[in-house]
Amino acid sequence: DAGVIQSPRHEVTEMGQEVTLRCKPISGHDYLFWYRQTMMRGLELLIYFNNNVPIDDSGMPEDRFSAKMPNASFSTLKIQPSEPRDSAVYFCASSRPGLQETQYFGPGTRLLVL
Amino acid sequence: GQQVMQIPQYQHVQEGEDFTTYCNSSTTLSNIQWYKQRPGGHPVFLIQLVKSGEVKKQKRLTFQFGEAKKNSSLHITATQTTDVGTYFCAGALYNFNKFYFGSGTKLNVKP
């Protein structure tokens, strides 16, 4: 099993640009989570999906952030327009059916907004 | 407000010393998970505790879940340099379909 796959692994962009982060969950996992990690705020849950449907997006910072899951094997997190304070490591995680199962994290995308 | 509090934030120990990190919640948890994140890496699942008063061991690691299911601890006996990283607890609340991660305890082990 390849595990959770995220791309890109690193992204450097300028303020105001659109950023799209991608995630492929583990096959058979029907929960998908997007997290953001910073030194100041730690690990924050942004949004999670169940069977491709967004269930809880209360952690999404503001309207500049949006997430989609068009099918069971792909999800995107988009930031438009990006700001320097969005610089962080963004993790995608997936878990098996049954919400309180183990979460398997991807390697993360390190985003730097200049 | 933050649902799950974790202390200490940092811990520096000499190799061979013990280490403990604590997690506390103001509300009863349905279960709690522990994760380890190596420097530059991603969180990796260690264990899940479900029952009140549960104790589980993984080699030198001992995990406990409080009787009231509001606190938990991770204890490492005789730390090694391979134990370096940040340890997170993640608590799930009843009737809430998500985990709340603690702020993590960053462990540094000096050889």
Side-chain angles (χ1 to χ4, degrees):
Chain A
D1 196 331
V4 176
I5 298 172
Q6 290 187 248
S7 65
R9 295 291 305 275
H10 302 271
E11 177 83 23
V12 180
T13 190
E14 292 188 344
M15 183 174 64
Q17 296 297 306
E18 177 180 297
V19 175
T20 300
L21 311 180
R22 298 173 176 79
C23 176
K24 177 179 168 53
I26 294 172
S27 177
H29 285 191
D30 63 358
Y31 280 93
L32 184 139
F33 307 83
W34 281 102
Y35 289 89
R36 177 173 69 176
Q37 186 174 41
T38 61
M39 288 292 291
M40 291 297 295
R41 300 176 68 87
L43 198 60
E44 303 173 276
L45 177 64
L46 301 177
I47 186 171
Y48 77 90
F49 296 83
N50 177 216
N51 290 321
N52 314 335
V53 177
I55 302 300
D56 185 345
D57 64 354
S58 59
M60 294 287 263
E62 48 199 272
D63 292 345
R64 296 184 299 105
F65 285 69
S66 63
K68 294 182 180 179
M69 192 164 185
N71 57 63
S73 59
F74 183 65
S75 177
T76 60
L77 178 67
K78 187 175 292 187
I79 308 173
Q80 166 63 20
S82 58
E83 296 182 2
R85 61 191 169 126
D86 301 330
S87 299
V89 180
Y90 290 82
F91 289 105
C92 174
S94 68
S95 67
R96 296 187 183 96
L99 180 61
Q100 296 178 3
E101 293 288 330
T102 303
Q103 293 185 39
Y104 293 84
F105 283 75
T109 295
R110 297 181 182 279
L111 173 64
L112 177 61
V113 183
L114 302 174
Chain B
Q2 195 167 357
Q3 301 284 354
V4 176
M5 305 294 291
Q6 190 173 354
I7 57 169
Q9 191 174 2
Y10 300 97
Q11 186 81 58
H12 301 273
V13 300
Q14 197 72 38
E15 189 172 25
E17 292 181 338
D18 292 357
F19 159 78
T20 305
T21 174
Y22 301 89
C23 242
N24 291 287
S25 171
S26 57
T27 51
T28 303
L29 301 171
S30 64
N31 66 67
I32 195 159
Q33 296 179 344
W34 284 92
Y35 291 78
K36 176 184 178 181
Q37 183 177 19
R38 293 183 187 275
H42 58 276
V44 175
F45 174 80
L46 293 175
I47 209 158
Q48 177 166 285
L49 304 171
V50 180
K51 300 177 183 176
S52 168
E54 189 170 16
V55 178
K56 288 188 177 180
K57 292 193 175 186
Q58 289 180 350
K59 297 183 180 178
R60 295 178 294 104
L61 277 60
T62 301
F63 303 84
Q64 292 189 341
F65 202 7
E67 293 290 339
K69 300 184 74 172
K70 289 185 176 182
N71 57 74
S72 181
S73 65
L74 158 59
H75 180 82
I76 302 179
T77 303
T79 54
Q80 300 175 358
T81 54
T82 53
D83 296 326
V84 165
T86 301
Y87 293 84
F88 292 95
C89 61
L93 305 180
Y94 286 104
N95 302 322
F96 283 85
N97 293 327
K98 62 184 178 182
F99 280 93
Y100 293 88
F101 275 80
S103 54
T105 296
K106 189 173 182 179
L107 172 64
N108 186 39
V109 180
K110 292 182 289 186

